[in-house]
Each structure stands twice: as structure tokens, then as C-alpha cells.
Amino acid sequence: MRWALALFLACELATFALLARQGVQELGRSAQGWDFTQWLLAGGLAGLCGWLAWHWPALWRGAACTYGGLAQGRDRTGRPGILVDMPDGRRAIARVESSWELGELALVLALEPVTGRPPRLLVVNGAFVGASALRALRRTIRVARREGQAAGEVD
């Protein structure tokens, strides 16, 4: 399944590269009459492309990390610990700082490292994680959120 996704993304990148090449050619023909905002937008786009090219290895390693289950215990703020399986086979433990639900598609976790070097963001997808593990993770995050709110109200 992962190779099919990688092949699909490679096709998407090739299509994007062809479209970008055509766009650059067209822009080169019409760039003589540009005003300041058009030049600013083109510079911002070039900067974004440069940033992505510079950070691509870290982004790729982060995308290759997967959710490995819940870690034992919690920290003093009540945040759950999770195991992150790294692409090289090692495991890291991280705490969940915050999370965002993308409906039934995925759960995005902002991570704080405890051991190892997990990615800053981890996308937990139902296609790669069992439904029961995903439910347990969501339930743990909800309980930790409620406990954190209750502790915040007491202080």
C-alpha cells in the first residue's frame, strides 16, 4: 500500500513539474509588464520552492514515520505518550502536544520528543493503523484533554 502511495505521489510530482515548466515559460514571456505585487508573488513562490527543496529530506523522513502504539504512563500534565516507528527501524517516544481531527481520514498529532527524534507532526491514518488502535489513541487524547482542563480549572 505504501509503494502505491509513493508511486501516485511521484506521478503527481512529475505532473506538477511539467505544469510548472509550462508556467515558467509563459511567465517569462509576459514578465516584462509586471508590477511590484506580481514580482513579490513570484519571489514568494520561488522562496517557498527553495524552502521545500532544502527541507525535503526531513519532510520525507517525517512522512515515513508511523504510529506504533501507546507508551506506558503519562507526564505530569497528563499528556499521553505514544510510540513512533522510525523509517530505520528504531522507536521514539513522544508526547502529544495537540491534535487535529481530519474526519475519518486521519488524525494529525503535534509531538514533543521524549526519547529519540520523532517528527514534529505525525499523521495517523486509518489505512495503516488498526481501527481499535486509532480509537484507543483518540480516547486517550480526549481523556488527557479533559483531565488537563479540570486541572487548569482547579489552579
Side-chain angles (χ1 to χ4, degrees):
M1 181 72 173
R2 184 176 285 177
W3 290 108
L5 181 62
L7 180 63
F8 175 76
L9 289 176
C11 291
E12 289 288 322
L13 283 173
T15 304
F16 179 71
L18 290 173
L19 286 173
R21 187 180 128 242
Q22 182 68 28
V24 167
Q25 288 175 346
E26 293 298 322
L27 286 174
R29 291 185 192 123
S30 67
Q32 295 159 349
W34 281 10
D35 61 359
F36 176 73
T37 57
Q38 289 171 317
W39 281 108
L40 188 63
L41 287 173
L45 181 61
L48 178 64
C49 290
W51 183 88
L52 281 174
W54 182 262
H55 290 89
W56 183 254
L59 294 171
W60 183 257
R61 279 192 307 272
C65 293
T66 57
Y67 169 69
L70 291 173
Q72 295 297 318
R74 298 170 186 242
D75 64 5
R76 65 185 188 327
T77 63
R79 290 179 292 178
I82 66 164
L83 298 172
V84 178
D85 293 330
M86 308 295 275
D88 59 3
R90 291 181 295 140
R91 284 192 140 181
I93 298 178
R95 302 287 183 202
V96 177
E97 277 187 2
S98 58
S99 62
W100 302 275
E101 295 275 347
L102 299 179
E104 293 300 315
L105 295 176
L107 174 66
V108 180
L109 304 176
L111 301 178
E112 174 188 338
V114 173
T115 63
R117 295 184 61 194
R120 176 76 178 114
L121 291 176
L122 181 67
V123 178
V124 182
N125 187 328
F128 299 115
V129 176
S132 60
L134 195 55
R135 278 194 306 272
L137 177 61
R138 285 185 170 132
R139 184 173 45 248
T140 304
I141 290 172
R142 280 194 304 270
V143 167
R145 215 178 269 153
R146 280 195 301 264
E147 288 174 355
Q149 289 172 351
E153 293 170 0
V154 170
D155 290 338

